[in-house]
Amino acid sequence: MTVHACLSRRHVLGGAVAFGACGPLLVACGADEDPPAEVPDAGTQLAGTSEVPVGGGVILKNQNVVLTQPTKGEFKAFEATCTHAGCTVTSVSTTITCSCHGSQFELADGSVTHGPATAALPAVKITVDGTSILTA
Ligand code: FES
């Protein structure tokens, strides 16, 4: 049965996927991921400003939010669900990375810098109140 699903998927992809690579492809897109958390309601405290590194960011998995600070004092927030196939993004350095298939997103606007994702991470409205970052 798995073979039929694999062949069917291979045909859909125009034969580009070798038989041996089909299994891992299906696993990588599998349903083992928990559904993403909902972005919190307005007024919810997300983090302290000191928790978000300049030129980097943090992933708040329980709140499905990525907070970034592209330049000192400039904070941005995005949904943490990758727009490619729905994994939660996995790391933030100079870009936001989803290790499921290698997509990368810009810290400043969530735009795609490396596929396979083609759509930006949706922005989450935030406000900074003193040293607290809250949803807006
Ligand atoms: S789900 Fe495929 S790169 Fe993120």
Side-chain angles (χ1 to χ4, degrees):
M1 182 173 283
T2 301
V3 172
H4 292 292
C6 188
L7 289 174
S8 176
R9 176 73 55 114
R10 185 169 63 169
H11 288 150
V12 168
L13 296 175
V17 177
F19 181 80
C22 190
L25 175 67
L26 293 174
V27 170
C29 298
D32 290 344
E33 287 265 324
D34 291 331
E38 295 290 322
V39 172
D41 294 335
T44 303
Q45 180 166 348
L46 296 172
T49 54
S50 63
E51 298 175 70
V52 185
V54 177
V58 294
I59 300 167
L60 309 173
K61 286 188 176 181
N62 291 342
Q63 297 170 311
N64 195 31
V65 171
V66 182
L67 287 174
T68 67
Q69 188 176 183
T71 60
K72 186 173 175 60
E74 176 195 15
F75 295 94
K76 302 287 184 175
F78 309 97
E79 292 186 20
T81 303
C82 179
T83 57
H84 174 235
C87 291
T88 300
V89 297
T90 49
S91 63
V92 185
S93 57
T94 56
T95 60
I96 301 164
T97 299
C98 176
S99 64
C100 279
H101 311 101
S103 292
Q104 296 180 325
F105 304 89
E106 178 65 42
L107 295 179
D109 61 8
S111 62
V112 176
T113 60
H114 187 275
T118 58
L121 296 175
V124 173
K125 292 183 179 179
I126 56 170
T127 185
V128 178
D129 182 10
T131 59
S132 295
I133 303 171
L134 307 105
T135 51

